[in-house]
Amino acid sequence: MTENIGVKLGAAPGSRGRTTIADVVVEKIAGMAARDVRGVYALGSGFARSMGSMRERMPGAGSGKSATRGISVEVGELQAAIDLEIVVDYGVSITDVAGAVRENVISAVERMAGRDVVEVNITVSDVKLPDDEEDEGEERQRIQ
């Protein structure tokens, strides 16, 4: 005789187990969604970006930008809360960019991770000025 282990025969496959989503998954989803918004220059503070840039140049440190720089999340079984630190392009409306980032992040996380996003807190830590590219190039030359 077969022992009943608490699962109804014929129960939907989706109800036969638990799905856990790691914080880093939600961080990456939020990061990609935030970067897609026009007016977002980068994620993370200037210091965090500088350290990440140096780390990326080190052999064996991995390739590409950190997808989770400037993002922290708390993920529960049903909900998620997200904190983002962004740098915006000079000349854009910061409130419009923040609103668009918030909408994009909420939509992406709820659609992809199936978690209700209870809040998206955004800190604008810097503004990318048009002449910053020249300064960054000189700084990179000096660091190398």
Side-chain angles (χ1 to χ4, degrees):
M1 213 183 239
T2 306
E3 185 178 326
N4 187 348
I5 57 172
V7 176
K8 291 182 182 180
L9 295 176
S15 66
R16 296 184 198 173
R18 189 173 84 177
T19 302
T20 302
I21 298 176
D23 289 2
V24 70
V25 172
V26 174
E27 288 173 351
K28 288 180 179 183
I29 293 168
M32 291 303 294
R35 284 180 182 89
D36 283 346
V37 174
R38 188 173 176 272
V40 174
Y41 176 72
L43 271 65
S45 67
F47 178 74
R49 290 191 329 270
S50 296
M51 293 306 293
S53 173
M54 287 177 18
R55 195 172 30 251
E56 289 166 8
R57 291 188 202 130
M58 298 180 80
S63 60
K65 294 183 177 181
S66 171
T68 60
R69 185 179 306 137
I71 306 166
S72 65
V73 301
E74 292 180 38
V75 181
E77 287 188 32
L78 301 173
Q79 298 177 325
I82 302 164
D83 294 326
L84 298 168
E85 187 172 359
I86 66 173
V87 177
V88 297
D89 290 317
Y90 176 79
V92 300
S93 166
I94 293 173
T95 55
D96 289 350
V97 170
V101 166
R102 193 170 280 111
E103 285 181 31
N104 218 30
V105 167
I106 289 170
S107 174
V109 171
E110 288 183 347
R111 180 176 48 85
M112 294 176 69
R115 300 299 185 264
D116 288 325
V117 177
V118 294
E119 64 181 8
V120 175
N121 299 309
I122 299 171
T123 300
V124 178
S125 62
D126 203 355
V127 173
K128 164 66 175 72
L129 300 175
D131 61 344
D132 280 352
E133 287 180 30
E134 296 169 14
D135 295 340
E136 285 177 11
E138 291 173 15
E139 196 172 306
R140 287 184 184 176
Q141 293 283 4
R142 192 174 74 228
I143 291 174
Q144 291 177 359

